[in-house]
Amino acid sequence: MRCIKCGARFQNDAYDLDKLRRENKLPPHCPNCQGIIQPDGVSFGEPIPDDASRKSNVLARMCDLMLICKTTASVYPFAELANIAKRNGARIVEINEEPTRLTEEKISDYLIQGKTGVILPQIVAEVKELLTHRKRKRRVFHA
Ligand SMILES: [Zn+2]
């Protein structure tokens, strides 16, 4: 959740939206400035917060690997992030049910076709397994 006035961010569970709805106290207000608190996402037609835009561009230039998940990659300026990462040497892995322009323009190095909600947990489990294996290997090496 994010305050639209001062930009302060809050955990989703900081506000019991059901309770506020029952008490007719929506939308929630920021404890710092009394601005309106809303989900920290960007809806169509809404401007992207400057800090999020700047940080995304910096991270896109720095990353070694970018996962592009569940998107048509057609809404700018964020659709450009994969191109920025690619130009700076990152590998691009696209996880989508259908190919996108990133697939067609060969911006993506890999397309894992399927549901993000199924594939991402599998990737996380594999990475955890690799990290655990690596730790075990190091312990043996140093013993
Ligand atoms: Zn505020």
Side-chain angles (χ1 to χ4, degrees), residues 67-73 93-98 100 111-112 114-117 120:
L67 299 178
I68 307 288
C69 304
K70 199 174 183 177
T71 178
T72 59
V93 177
E94 189 181 350
I95 303 169
N96 271 322
E97 289 187 51
E98 299 297 329
T100 66
L111 168 65
I112 302 174
K115 291 189 180 295
T116 305
L120 275 180

Side-chain angles (χ1 to χ4, degrees), residues 2-100:
R2 175 176 46 88
C3 172
I4 61 171
K5 193 171 172 187
C6 75
R9 289 196 162 88
F10 307 92
Q11 291 296 316
N12 275 352
D13 56 5
Y15 291 90
D16 184 344
L17 295 178
D18 288 333
K19 183 177 178 233
L20 292 173
R21 189 175 294 116
R22 282 192 305 272
E23 295 171 352
N24 208 19
K25 290 182 178 171
L26 286 178
H29 289 270
C30 176
N32 304 333
C33 73
Q34 296 306 307
I36 292 173
I37 307 284
Q38 68 172 26
D40 193 15
V42 178
S43 300
F44 286 100
E46 223 181 13
I48 296 162
D50 285 344
D51 60 331
S53 183
R54 269 193 301 275
K55 191 173 179 184
S56 300
N57 277 284
V58 167
L59 293 173
R61 279 188 223 104
M62 293 170 50
C63 72
D64 298 319
L65 175 74
M66 179 180 274
L67 299 178
I68 307 288
C69 304
K70 199 174 183 177
T71 178
T72 59
S74 60
V75 179
Y76 286 81
F78 277 115
E80 183 63 16
L81 291 176
N83 298 55
I84 292 169
K86 183 78 174 186
R87 277 197 303 270
N88 286 279
R91 293 284 182 147
I92 310 296
V93 177
E94 189 181 350
I95 303 169
N96 271 322
E97 289 187 51
E98 299 297 329
T100 66

